[in-house]
Amino acid sequence: MALQDVCKWQASGTQGPSSPHLPRAGGWAMPPGWDPQTFLRIHGPRLAHGTTTLAFRFRHGVIAAADTRSSCGNYVQCPASCKIIPVHQHLVGTTSGTSADCAAWYRVLRRELRLRALRDGQLPSVAGAAKLLSAMMSCYRGLDLCVATALCGWDRSGPALFYVYSDGTRLQGNIFSVGSGSPYAYGVLDRGYRYDMSPQEAYALARCAVAHATHRDAYSGGSVDLFHVRENGWEYVSRNDAYVLYSELQKLPEPGKEEEEEARWDQPEPVTLHRDSRMPAETEML
C-alpha cells in the first residue's frame, strides 16, 4: 500500500486481488532527490567559503602555508582549524572549499596511495598523486563538490607542486594561492618570490603573504600554519597569530626604502643661478 501511494497506483476494484493500473508515460511520481544536481540547486544550503592558502616551490623544497579560520556563512565555525593535511611522509596538501569534502577526499587519496605502494613497492610521484585525485573527483563534476587543493611534495625528480580542482583541473607550477584571500597573497608573493631563497627567507615570505591576506580578507584570520616539505619528509615549522604577525610587519622598514633614501641624500644638490637685476642685458648675454 505504501508503494502504491508513493507511485500513485490505483486499484481496479475493491473485491478480489487488486492489480495496479500503471500510469501513462510521463506520469510517474519520482521521489525528491532523484536528480541530485537539481535538488541541491533548489534545496541545498548556500555556503560561503573563505580562506587563504598558498604554496610555492624553491631550491630547498616546497613551502605550504594557510590561515586557521573556518567560516560558514557570516559565522566563524572554528578559529583554529588545520587546513594543511599530511598525506604521507613526503606529501602534504592545502585545503580550500568545503571542509567535509576536502577531508573525505584526502582520506580517499591516502588510502589509494597506500594500496598502490603495497602493489608497486614504492609510492607514486607527486604528479601521479595529482593525476589520481583529479581523475577521481572529475566523476562528480556538477554535484556541488568543492575541493581546491595544492599538492606539495618531494619525489625522485625533486620538489614538485600541483594544483587540483574538483572539476578535474590539474596544473603544475611554482606558486599557487587558493581562497578568498589569494589576490592579496599573490601580491606579496609576486614581489618577494625567488627560486634561490634560503629557508628562513621562504618562511618569512609565506608568513608575510598570509598575514597581509588575513588583514584584508574578512573570511581569513586566526593563525598562520607553516609547513616545509624537504627531501627527508615534511616538517611542521610553526603556528603564529596572524594579527601579531601583521603588527610586527608594520613596524619593519619597507624593503628598498632605506636604499632609496641613501641614494637620494648622496646626490649633489642642484645649483640655482639668480640673475642680478643691476647687470646690463649685454653682460647677461655674454
Side-chain angles (χ1 to χ4, degrees):
M1 182 61 68
L3 183 59
Q4 294 179 9
D5 294 338
V6 171
C7 297
K8 297 182 179 179
W9 289 348
Q10 296 180 358
S12 58
T14 57
Q15 298 179 0
S18 61
S19 59
H21 287 188
L22 298 180
R24 294 185 301 272
W28 290 95
M30 303 302 295
W34 70 274
D35 183 4
Q37 186 173 0
T38 305
F39 180 81
L40 290 173
R41 185 172 61 250
I42 299 175
H43 304 285
R46 298 294 182 264
L47 300 179
H49 308 291
T51 186
T52 300
T53 65
L54 62 87
F56 58 85
R57 188 174 69 99
F58 72 119
R59 176 185 297 178
H60 302 282
V62 184
I63 296 294
D67 72 313
T68 61
R69 176 183 292 177
S70 179
S71 303
C72 181
N74 296 325
Y75 299 95
V76 177
Q77 197 171 22
C78 179
S81 61
C82 186
K83 300 180 182 179
I84 302 176
I85 300 178
V87 180
H88 57 70
Q89 184 180 358
H90 292 85
L91 182 65
V92 300
T94 64
T95 60
S96 178
T98 306
S99 300
D101 291 342
C102 294
W105 278 104
Y106 266 104
R107 285 198 298 268
V108 173
L109 178 63
R110 191 182 295 118
R111 180 196 64 198
E112 293 296 326
L113 293 180
R114 177 60 177 164
L115 290 175
R116 293 202 175 194
L118 292 174
R119 286 196 301 262
D120 303 336
Q122 61 182 3
L123 286 168
S125 63
V126 181
K131 185 176 182 179
L132 176 62
L133 181 61
S134 172
M136 291 189 299
M137 291 194 301
S138 64
C139 300
Y140 296 87
R141 184 182 305 171
L143 297 180
D144 277 1
L145 179 65
C146 187
V147 177
T149 180
L151 288 174
C152 318
W154 192 300
D155 53 22
R156 293 175 295 277
S157 62
L161 176 61
F162 284 83
Y163 167 77
V164 180
Y165 188 59
S166 49
D167 64 353
T169 302
R170 184 177 78 255
L171 302 173
Q172 184 180 11
N174 289 331
I175 303 175
F176 288 114
S177 182
V178 188
S180 56
S182 59
Y184 311 107
Y186 269 126
V188 178
L189 292 173
D190 290 340
R191 181 178 182 180
Y193 172 78
R194 299 191 326 274
Y195 185 80
D196 58 347
M197 287 186 297
S198 66
Q200 295 303 323
E201 290 175 335
Y203 298 164
L205 177 62
R207 293 190 184 106
C208 180
V210 179
H212 277 80
T214 57
H215 179 71
R216 294 295 181 184
D217 180 38
Y219 292 100
S220 302
S223 301
V224 180
D225 280 340
L226 187 63
F227 280 71
H228 185 185
V229 183
R230 305 173 182 268
E231 186 176 3
N232 57 353
W234 60 266
E235 174 190 358
Y236 183 30
V237 179
S238 65
R239 169 174 283 191
N240 302 98
D241 185 88
Y243 177 76
V244 175
L245 277 177
Y246 183 79
S247 301
E248 293 175 353
L249 291 171
Q250 292 299 105
K251 298 176 184 178
L252 297 177
E254 186 178 352
K257 190 173 182 180
E258 295 181 354
E259 290 79 1
E260 294 177 1
E261 291 291 334
E262 293 178 0
R264 187 171 65 86
W265 286 108
D266 291 341
Q267 293 179 357
E269 295 185 0
V271 179
T272 304
L273 298 178
H274 299 280
R275 183 176 65 85
D276 191 350
S277 59
R278 296 172 296 178
M279 296 176 60
E282 293 81 5
T283 307
E284 185 178 354
M285 292 179 60
L286 293 175

